[in-house]
Amino acid sequence: MSDITASAYVRQDLLTERPAPVKTTGFIGLVRTRLLNSPTNILITIVSALLLWFTIVPSVKFLFVDAVWTGTDRTACLTENGACWPYIQAKLPQLIYGFYPEAERWRVNLTFALAAVLLVPMLVPRLPAKAINASLFFFAFPVVAFFLLHGGGISGFGLSWTAGLLQLFDDSIIGAGQVLLNLSKTSAIAPLLWVLGSLIVLVGKAIYWLIFPLTWLRDQLEASGQSVWTDFAITTAVVSLIAFALGGGVRAGWRPLAWSLATFAAIAIVIKLMGLDHGGLSVVQTRLWGGLLVTLVVSVAGIVTSLPIGIALALGRRSSIPLIRIFSIAFIEFWRGVPLITVLFFATYMLPLFLPGNFTVDGLVRALIGIALFTGAYQAENVRGGLAAIPRGQGEAAAALGLSWWKTTSLIVLPQALRHVIPNLVNSFISLFKDTSLVSIVALFDLLGSLRASFADPKWSAPSTLFTGFAFAGIIYFLFCFGMSRYSLFVEHRLNAHRRN
Amino acid sequence: MSDPIVKITGLNKWYGDFHVLRDIDLEVRKGERIVICGPSGSGKSTLIRCINALEEFQEGEIVVDGIELGPNLKHIDAVRREVGMVFQSFNLFPHLTVLDNCTLAPIWVRNIPKRDAEATAMKFLERVKIPHQANKFPGQMSGGQQQRVAIARALTMNPKVMLFDEPTSALDPEMVKEVLDTMVDLAEEGMTMLVVTHEMGFAREVANRVVFMDAGQIIEANTPNEFFASPQHARTKLFLSQILR
Ligand SMILES: Nc1ncnc2c1ncn2[C@@H]1O[C@H](COP(=O)(O)OP(=O)(O)OP(=O)(O)O)[C@@H](O)[C@H]1O
Ligand SMILES: [Mg+2]
C-alpha cells in the first residue's frame, strides 16, 4: 500500500487557486485572439474600424436617421439633409412601369406574378416536375408574357407563319437577284452579274412555285374568316401526326401523340383565355415600357438566351468541321472586340438601314438581340474553359459505350463542364444585369433611365432627391445581383456533391 | 472452333509520318482470351483502340462480329455496341453515381426502360462484388473498386468482346488482385477478351494465346506455356527477362 501512496501522481498537498486562462471564446476572446493579437493586426483593426465608421455611420444617418418619411412635395425634403423617401414613393410607379398606361399595369403585375410562380419552384431543387416546370418557364412563359405585356392578337397559326416565313425568305432571294440584275446594267462585269442575277431570280421563282400550295392555302384560310382556329386545327393535326410517327408509330408513338395533343389543348386554352383570336389585349408599344419592367425583360431575356448561344458557340469553336469552327471563332472574337455601347448603337440606329424595307424590328427587341449576342460571346468563352477541363478519357469512355456525339456532349461533357464554370457564368449574368442600364442611351427607359427622367420633375427638386434616387436604384440592383450570387453558390455546392468525399 | 469474332487483316496506321501499326493480322475466335504484351510505345493501346474505332486507321480491315469497320459512321456505332472497353484510368463519369454510370448507356443507347436498366446494373454490380456502393460517386471509392465499376459498366451493354487496356496499371498492388479476380471470373464465364497487360501471372492462368508486339508489329503469338517456356524471338526473350526478372 505504501507504494501506491508514494506514487508521483497522487497529490501530497492541495493546490492554491489560479486565475482563469485568457478567454479565447465569446466576443472578448474573439477580439483578443483574432483582432488584437499582433501589432499588424491591431493596426489593421483600427484602420478597418475607422473605415466602417466613416462609411456605415453616414449611410445609416442619411438613409434612416435624418431621412424624411412623409410629405407630398419637395418642401418636405428641403429642411432635412437625409433621404427623401416620399419622393421614391411618389415616383415608384414610374420606376417600375415607366410610361406603361396606368389602366393596363395589372398586366405587368400579372407577368411578374407568373414569372415568380414559375421561377421559384424551378429554383428549389426539392420540388418535383422540373422538366415540365422548366419547359413552361423557357417556352410557354415568354410567349404568354409577350402577349400580356405587348398585347395584340394572332391572325393565323403554324401554317400561315410557316407560309409567311418561307415567303419572306423567297422574297429576299428574289430581291437579291433583282439587285444583281440592276447592277449588271452599269457594271463592267455585266454579263457575269446578269447570269448570276438571273440564276438567283430563277431559283427564287422555283421556290415560289414550290411553296405555292402552302401560300395558297393560307390565302384561302384568311379569306374564310375563321382563319385562326382552322389553321390551329391543321397545325395540331400535322404536328401530332409527326410526333406520332417519329415517336415510334403504332408501337410506341401513343405517348408522344398524347403529349402533343395535350400541349396544343393548353395552347388553345391560352389563346381563348387571352382572346388572341380576336385581337387580344390592347397594344402597348414598347417605347412606353420602362423602369424595372424593361430592366427585368432585358436581363431575363438576355440571361436565358445567352447561355444556349454561348454553349453552341463554345462547342462550335471546338468542332472538327472547319467552317463551323471558323464561324464560331470569328463570331466570338467580333463580339468580344466591340464595346456594348457600340453594339447597342449599331442595333438601334444602323440595323434598320440594312434590313429589307418592309421589315422592321421593334426597338426593344433590337437591343435585346444585341445584348444576347454580346453576352453569348462572353459565355462561349466561359463554357469553353469548362470544356477544356474535361479529360479526353470522358468522351472516349462514352464513345466506347456507343453514345453518339450529341449524347456524349449533352450527358457527359456539358454537365461536367458547366459545373466547373458556374461562378464564371453567373459572373457574366451579373454583369449583364448591370449592363442593361446601358439601354438608356438608345432611348429605352430602364430603371436607371426612368430614375434620371424623374429627377427632372420640379415638384420634387430638392438637394437630396438625387442621392435618394441613386441609393434606391443601388439597393435594387444590389438585391438582384446578391441574390444571383448567393443562389449560384448554393447550386455550385449542391451540384459538386460528387467532388466531396 | 467457330468463326472469328474479331478479324484484323493488313492493318496499317500512321500518326502523321510515324508508322505506329504495321501490317497487323489477328483473328480472335469466340470465347478466346488473348493477352497482348510488349514494350512501352509498341502500339498495343493503339491496336485495341482501333477495334472499337476510338482510333481511325489508314489501311486494312477490321471485322467485328460480321460488321466491317470503315469510315462509315453507322458501322462505328454498331461495332461499339458489341465491344466493351475498360481503360487504364477507369474513366468513370464523376458527376454520376455508380448506378447511373452503369445505366446511362443501356438507357440512352439501347432505349431500355430505366427500371430494367437499374435491375441489370445491380446484377452486374453484384458480380463485381460492389452492390452496396451503388449510390456512391466514383470519387468516393478506391481505385480497385472504381475499375470494377468500370468493368460492370461495360458489361451492362452485353458486349460480345471485351477490351482491356492495362486495367491494373494505375492501381496499388493490393488492389490489382481484386480487379484480376473479377477478370478471371469473366473469363470463366466464356467472355471473349483482349487484354493489354503486364500481369504475366494473369496471362499464364487465363490466356489462350499471348501476343507479343514490338515497334508496331506482332512478332510472336503463342500459347502461354510455349510463350513463356521457349520464346522464339530475341526481342521477346529480352522483354521477358526484363519483366519476369
Ligand atoms: N495521338 C498521337 N499522336 C502521335 N503519336 C502518338 C499518339 N498516340 C500515341 N502515339 C505514339 O504511338 C506509339 C504507340 O502508342 P501506344 O499508346 O499504342 O503504345 P503502347 O504500346 O500502348 O504503350 P504503353 O505500354 O506505354 O501504353 C507511341 O510511340 C506513341 O508515342
Ligand atoms: Mg498503352
Side-chain angles (χ1 to χ4, degrees), chain B residues 55-125:
Chain B
E55 301 282 353
E56 51 190 19
F57 48 88
Q58 285 82 19
E59 276 179 21
E61 188 183 68
I62 298 180
V63 182
V64 180
D65 195 32
I67 309 161
E68 190 190 319
L69 198 56
N72 189 333
L73 275 173
K74 186 109 192 129
H75 290 189
I76 287 188
D77 287 342
V79 166
R80 282 179 180 164
R81 278 200 287 269
E82 306 304 331
V83 180
M85 178 139 186
V86 175
F87 299 84
Q88 179 174 355
S89 48
F90 326 139
N91 291 346
L92 292 179
F93 306 129
H95 62 303
L96 301 177
T97 62
V98 164
L99 189 61
D100 291 341
N101 262 280
C102 295
T103 55
L104 185 89
I107 290 175
W108 290 96
V109 180
R110 293 216 193 273
N111 294 319
I112 292 172
K114 188 167 180 208
R115 193 167 313 161
D116 301 353
E118 282 179 354
T120 319
M122 284 312 290
K123 196 181 79 191
F124 283 109
L125 286 175

Side-chain angles (χ1 to χ4, degrees), chain B residues 40-41 43-46 49 88 165-166 196:
Chain B
S40 184
K44 311 179 293 290
S45 299
T46 311
R49 288 160 59 87
Q88 179 174 355
D165 190 2
E166 309 205 28
V196 175

Side-chain angles (χ1 to χ4, degrees), chain B residues 2-245:
Chain B
S2 53
D3 289 342
I5 193 157
V6 179
K7 187 162 191 257
I8 303 173
T9 33
L11 181 66
N12 277 286
K13 174 175 172 61
W14 288 262
Y15 278 124
D17 289 336
F18 176 52
H19 200 168
V20 216
L21 295 177
R22 310 182 189 179
D23 265 331
I24 303 275
D25 293 305
L26 184 66
E27 283 190 13
V28 185
R29 287 184 298 277
K30 207 168 168 46
E32 206 177 13
R33 277 94 58 186
I34 292 190
V35 164
I36 303 173
C37 61
S40 184
S42 54
K44 311 179 293 290
S45 299
T46 311
L47 173 62
I48 72 164
R49 288 160 59 87
C50 282
I51 297 175
N52 67 354
L54 285 182
E55 301 282 353
E56 51 190 19
F57 48 88
Q58 285 82 19
E59 276 179 21
E61 188 183 68
I62 298 180
V63 182
V64 180
D65 195 32
I67 309 161
E68 190 190 319
L69 198 56
N72 189 333
L73 275 173
K74 186 109 192 129
H75 290 189
I76 287 188
D77 287 342
V79 166
R80 282 179 180 164
R81 278 200 287 269
E82 306 304 331
V83 180
M85 178 139 186
V86 175
F87 299 84
Q88 179 174 355
S89 48
F90 326 139
N91 291 346
L92 292 179
F93 306 129
H95 62 303
L96 301 177
T97 62
V98 164
L99 189 61
D100 291 341
N101 262 280
C102 295
T103 55
L104 185 89
I107 290 175
W108 290 96
V109 180
R110 293 216 193 273
N111 294 319
I112 292 172
K114 188 167 180 208
R115 193 167 313 161
D116 301 353
E118 282 179 354
T120 319
M122 284 312 290
K123 196 181 79 191
F124 283 109
L125 286 175
E126 257 153 50
R127 249 168 69 178
V128 300
K129 301 189 181 67
I130 28 181
H132 42 282
Q133 318 248 30
N135 291 315
K136 279 193 178 178
F137 286 103
Q140 300 164 330
M141 310 177 85
S142 77
Q145 290 170 331
Q146 289 191 47
Q147 193 61 298
R148 284 185 285 152
V149 172
I151 294 174
R153 178 177 73 177
L155 291 175
T156 55
M157 289 292 284
N158 282 321
K160 299 205 168 90
V161 182
M162 283 285 283
L163 309 175
F164 294 83
D165 190 2
E166 309 205 28
T168 57
S169 303
L171 297 176
D172 290 340
E174 69 265 35
M175 295 174 194
V176 169
K177 187 170 176 312
E178 61 186 57
V179 171
L180 287 181
D181 285 348
T182 309
M183 291 168 63
V184 171
D185 288 348
L186 200 57
E188 279 164 1
E189 286 163 24
M191 176 62 76
T192 311
M193 295 162 67
L194 271 97
V195 186
V196 175
T197 186
H198 293 133
E199 295 292 335
M200 290 304 138
F202 176 82
R204 272 212 180 87
E205 189 184 343
V206 174
N208 303 109
R209 263 191 297 163
V210 179
V211 170
F212 181 74
M213 284 186 73
D214 189 26
Q217 308 159 59
I218 295 183
I219 53 179
E220 199 164 340
N222 222 329
T223 60
N225 283 340
E226 291 286 315
F227 181 81
F228 290 113
S230 51
Q232 305 294 307
H233 215 278
R235 283 289 302 145
T236 321
K237 284 178 192 154
L238 179 66
F239 177 76
L240 284 177
S241 72
Q242 278 167 347
I243 203 165
L244 293 177
R245 232 177 309 190

Side-chain angles (χ1 to χ4, degrees), chain A residues 80-240:
Chain A
E80 299 273 358
N81 45 15
C84 181
W85 294 120
Y87 155 72
I88 296 291
Q89 204 187 349
K91 293 292 175 190
L92 200 59
Q94 190 186 341
L95 295 184
I96 295 180
Y97 308 103
F99 300 110
Y100 208 92
E102 221 167 319
E104 307 289 335
R105 283 181 187 164
W106 62 272
R107 285 156 57 175
V108 180
N109 294 340
L110 185 60
T111 312
F112 285 163
L114 263 180
V117 164
L118 287 174
L119 192 62
V120 171
M122 194 169 74
L123 296 185
V124 178
R126 255 181 303 116
L127 299 179
K130 283 281 173 288
I132 294 183
N133 195 335
S135 49
L136 279 179
F137 182 77
F138 289 113
F139 299 106
F141 174 67
V143 180
V144 173
F146 172 79
F147 284 113
L148 258 181
L149 292 174
H150 181 266
I154 47 178
S155 59
F157 204 69
L159 179 87
S160 53
W161 293 338
T162 320
L165 215 65
L166 287 174
Q167 204 166 31
L168 190 75
F169 173 67
D170 191 37
D171 285 350
S172 54
I173 291 181
I174 295 181
Q178 232 98 49
V179 168
L180 282 184
L181 282 184
N182 281 344
L183 274 180
S184 76
K185 290 182 189 133
T186 54
S187 162
I189 45 168
L192 189 69
L193 285 182
W194 186 85
V195 169
L196 214 63
S198 313
L199 218 64
I200 293 175
V201 171
L202 215 64
V203 170
K205 286 265 157 59
I207 294 178
Y208 174 80
W209 286 110
L210 210 66
I211 63 173
F212 182 73
L214 213 59
T215 45
W216 178 81
L217 200 60
R218 181 201 45 189
D219 295 340
Q220 289 302 306
L221 278 180
E222 255 163 31
S224 78
Q226 268 296 315
S227 60
V228 173
W229 291 108
T230 324
D231 192 343
F232 184 83
I234 296 175
T235 312
T236 309
V238 171
V239 172
S240 300

